[in-house]
Amino acid sequence: MNKPRCGVPDKEIDLNTAVVNISANLQQSKEVRRRKRHLAALVSKSRRKRDLGETGYMAFSKKVLKWRLIGEGYSSQLTVEEQRYIFRLAFRMWSEVSPLEFVEDTRSPLEDIDIRLGFGTGRHLGCNQRFDGTGQEFAHAWFLGDIHFDDDEHFTAPNAGSGISLLKVAVHEIGHVLGLPHIYRPGSIMQPSYLPHESVFEMDWMDRKAIQHLYGGCKGRFNTVFDWIRREKTPYGEVVIRFNTYFMRDGWYWLYENRNNRTRYGDPVALQIGWRGVPLDGVDACVHVWSRKRDAVYFFRGTQFWRYDSENDGVFTQDPEGHRYPRLISEGFPGVPSPIDTAFYDRRDSHIYFFKNRLVYAFDVEANSLARGFPKNIRDVFPPVVSGDHPDGNIDAAYFSYTHNAIFLLKGARFWQVVGSRDRWRWLFLPRNGLLPHKEVDQHWFDICNVHPTALKLTR
């Protein structure tokens, strides 16, 4: 019990249920009850009450929250810019796993700020709970938006190699302000005791699910989705095929770790960081023509397309065949109109399927022309398995998943999986390329979350 820890009173949390159930400990000490009574005094009367979350904890009813490091509460150990940068990172980490966005606001009246942070020692910042000096209580937070850090502690910047990670403590305390209790699970950032692990840390699965239980999952449309395939040599000289799934929205992308069923920590990232030379504000489709004869990656945007040089990690200005880029879609893929909605390559028949409004254009790569009978209505190519359950054109994204060995069509917050050969073998009544009943994107691919534009270019 003498470990350095957070000063927020403990609650119990049931880790054996799928939904996080939070209940107050009925056998609380007099000190804990006294701290609760102080809560009302810590919050200005002019501040608006927040709606209760499903678990009974005070949760924010809005999705964009303002925060500020208050001027009378700067730390004496780090520069003001270092403090503010660390807090931006801490808020971004919660934004990456929830639908909440955080923006630093240094101008609005203080009563309009949702989360206020500050440092102090002993009696501090008008708070009725005093700090204890070095070694025990690092910080405390109140569910109505105040976070205080004990400036007697030796707080350090990320990767400093010694001291107490201010980033780690800040992420923990922000979790409390958002409504989370302590979570007794190894690896959780919401553990009550500070564990001096490596300076780099990640959001645990339980932290993600707990915050999403309060605020829901992340929803939104995507410009395109695709699997990026690459060949790599092992230390033994063997060539192996590796791939990752990428989700793109505007000029930003998320790498989805299929093995862990989550996005990569630190995403989204600017498109230009991953793919040099593609349009800065995003693409309509990415197509990887991958067969025994061909291995070419194309990005499409508007009326143009670019071929990507994977070996040199950038778009071709001129490819080995002498074609200069960008090229017109009508020139490289005769018969295909532009701009397109999306496209994907189907290895089963060596066709690229282009989507535009309610029509599908199957392009025969080997013949360099449209396949016979195309274009066709999307319902004729991808008929619904259940009548009426169909995207009916204007698809946002379509891609073949090597993880699931399946084709997916995405529109809005929904997706449809295309019936595969194994499905038809098991259920003979299913139509070829039929669309199975829709599901929600955020129930299949997790934590693809926006962050506030002011935090997009932060790096850890």
Side-chain angles (χ1 to χ4, degrees), residues 217-373:
C218 299
K219 300 180 183 292
R221 309 180 82 102
F222 297 100
N223 296 102
T224 192
V225 183
F226 60 91
D227 274 357
W228 183 264
I229 307 148
R230 64 189 187 280
R231 292 181 172 89
E232 292 183 357
K233 281 189 177 182
T234 68
Y236 305 101
E238 299 174 329
V239 177
V240 295
I241 304 298
R242 302 190 187 280
F243 58 87
N244 288 306
T245 302
Y246 291 87
F247 289 77
M248 290 186 176
R249 179 181 295 145
D250 302 323
W252 302 87
Y253 74 89
W254 293 257
L255 185 156
Y256 199 82
E257 298 177 343
N258 292 292
R259 181 182 300 177
N260 298 317
N261 204 20
R262 70 182 188 197
T263 53
R264 175 178 59 185
Y265 293 108
D267 285 356
V269 178
L271 192 59
Q272 280 288 316
I273 294 176
W275 291 273
R276 292 183 297 173
V278 301
L280 291 172
D281 53 353
V283 297
D284 300 322
C286 176
V287 172
H288 189 171
V289 178
W290 187 36
S291 65
R292 292 182 178 180
K293 296 181 180 180
R294 299 173 184 266
D295 186 358
V297 178
Y298 302 101
F299 286 98
F300 297 82
R301 176 59 190 262
T303 61
Q304 299 178 313
F305 74 100
W306 292 255
R307 183 175 174 183
Y308 202 78
D309 183 355
S310 299
E311 290 187 5
N312 295 306
D313 198 17
V315 297
F316 278 108
T317 53
Q318 183 172 324
D319 66 16
E321 288 77 34
H323 300 301
R324 299 189 65 83
Y325 294 90
R327 298 177 67 192
L328 292 175
I329 294 175
S330 58
E331 178 184 310
F333 302 92
V336 176
S338 60
I340 62 171
D341 292 331
T342 190
F344 77 95
Y345 176 69
D346 192 338
R347 294 191 70 196
R348 298 173 301 177
D349 57 12
S350 298
H351 288 173
I352 301 175
Y353 286 82
F354 292 92
F355 297 78
K356 183 176 177 64
N357 300 328
R358 296 174 63 89
L359 295 179
V360 177
Y361 298 76
F363 189 84
D364 187 332
V365 174
E366 301 303 325
N368 198 40
S369 64
L370 287 180
R372 182 177 298 179

